[in-house]
């Protein structure tokens, strides 16, 4: 219990979560409830400074979750099974953003091209709505260096990898959309396709997908 001060005012609490400066979302799609996600989407949105300082940190969690609801459908008529967690952190040691982190895992069953496309469309819609709720950042052209760095970091986050161990295998720039598609290869040989600027060219909206290898067998001459 915090005691009142001599002048009757309640002192400022020492332990606080601080204001929310950043909303960070990660959405993953998986085949089974206990399986690993085969497709990831990430979005980082800085919270703009309010006109009234007293409103700082007033991010509405309920509105954020409501904006993210489209990710649950992924082409289905009814929402799919999911798990969600929310994490908030803040430190008093030096400058650091007060981050609100939300992770969602959706179970889709068998993976198909239509599901991959529908998931992308659902997430794009949800992330676009979330940008409107939090505050859409000013559009900025994404440079090649920024795109590759973002792709490495996003793949590392999605699949628990060392970003420095990911080498560039291919790149494609779409200037009209302000987006990049970056191919990355891990030292283990696994490959990842990363789209930077997924939602309206916003560089901190990213899709990461591990490329499944397709083995080709030559049956000519076999008995």
């Amino acid at each position: 219990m915090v005691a009142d001060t001599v002048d009757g005012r309640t002192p400022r609490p020492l332990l606080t979560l601080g204001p929310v400066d950043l909303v960070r979302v990660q959405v993953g799609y998986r085949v089974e409830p206990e399986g690993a996600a085969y497709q990831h989407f990430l979005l980082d949105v800085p919270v703009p400074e309010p006109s009234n300082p007293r409103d700082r940190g007033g991010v509405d969690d309920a509105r954020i979750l409501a904006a993210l609801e489209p990710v649950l459908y992924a082409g289905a008529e009814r929402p799919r099974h999911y798990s969600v967690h929310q994490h908030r952190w803040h430190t008093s040691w030096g400058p650091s953003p007060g981050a609100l982190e939300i992770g969602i895992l959706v179970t889709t069953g068998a993976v198909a091209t239509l599901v991959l496309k529908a998931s992308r469309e659902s997430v794009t819609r949800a992330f676009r709505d979330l940008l409107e709720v939090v505050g859409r950042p000013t559009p900025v052209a994404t440079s090649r260096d920024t795109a590759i760095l973002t792709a490495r970091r996003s793949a590392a986050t999605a699949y628990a990898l060392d970003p420095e161990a990911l080498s560039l295998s291919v790149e494609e720039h779409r200037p009209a959309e302000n987006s990049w598609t970056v191919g990355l290869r891990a030292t283990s040989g696994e490959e990842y396709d990363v789209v930077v600027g997924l939602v309206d060219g916003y560089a901190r909206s990213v899709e990461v997908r591990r490329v499944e290898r397709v083995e080709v067998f030559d049956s000519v001459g076999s008995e």
Side-chain angles (χ1 to χ4, degrees):
M1 181 176 180
V2 180
D4 291 343
T5 57
V6 176
D7 58 7
R9 293 181 299 177
T10 301
R12 185 176 181 179
L14 296 176
L15 187 62
T16 175
L17 289 172
V20 174
D21 301 295
L22 177 69
V23 175
R24 175 167 291 160
V25 178
Q26 182 171 342
V27 179
Y29 290 93
R30 57 191 177 184
V31 175
E32 301 174 341
E34 301 301 325
Y38 57 82
Q39 187 179 25
H40 294 264
F41 298 88
L42 302 96
L43 178 71
D44 284 1
V45 189
V47 178
E49 292 283 347
S51 55
N52 184 351
R54 293 184 178 181
D55 295 335
R56 191 67 173 148
V59 175
D60 190 335
D61 295 5
R63 289 186 66 198
I64 291 176
L65 291 175
L68 291 171
E69 286 185 356
V71 308
L72 303 180
Y73 289 86
E77 295 182 358
R78 297 181 179 181
R80 300 176 185 269
H81 291 295
Y82 69 91
S83 64
V84 60
H85 77 263
Q86 179 174 307
H87 179 66
R88 179 91 179 269
W89 63 270
H90 169 72
T91 176
S92 64
W93 180 258
S96 68
L100 171 63
E101 300 178 350
I102 297 175
I104 302 173
L105 283 170
V106 183
T107 303
T108 61
V111 182
T113 302
L114 290 178
V115 174
L116 295 174
K117 181 180 179 182
S119 300
R120 185 180 301 113
E121 291 174 350
S122 296
V123 171
T124 299
R125 173 188 168 191
F127 281 4
R128 186 176 288 129
D129 290 345
L130 182 57
L131 286 170
E132 296 301 327
V133 169
V134 178
R136 184 178 290 270
T138 302
V140 177
T142 305
S143 68
R144 178 180 181 272
D145 288 347
T146 297
I148 294 174
L149 178 61
T150 301
R152 282 197 173 109
R153 288 178 174 175
S154 299
T157 298
Y159 289 99
L161 304 169
D162 178 2
E164 299 301 323
L166 294 170
S167 59
L168 180 66
S169 59
V170 67
E171 63 182 89
E172 179 186 355
H173 182 208
R174 292 181 291 278
E177 302 173 10
N178 192 36
S179 67
W180 293 76
T181 298
V182 179
L184 300 173
R185 183 180 292 112
T187 52
S188 60
E190 293 182 328
E191 298 183 356
Y192 304 86
D193 282 343
V194 186
V195 178
V196 177
L198 176 69
V199 181
D200 304 329
Y202 178 53
R204 297 172 79 173
S205 62
V206 182
E207 176 187 5
V208 184
R209 185 167 59 89
R210 183 162 48 201
V211 179
E212 296 296 333
R213 295 180 179 178
V214 178
E215 296 186 7
V216 178
F217 296 93
D218 186 1
S219 60
V220 177
S222 62
E223 297 182 359

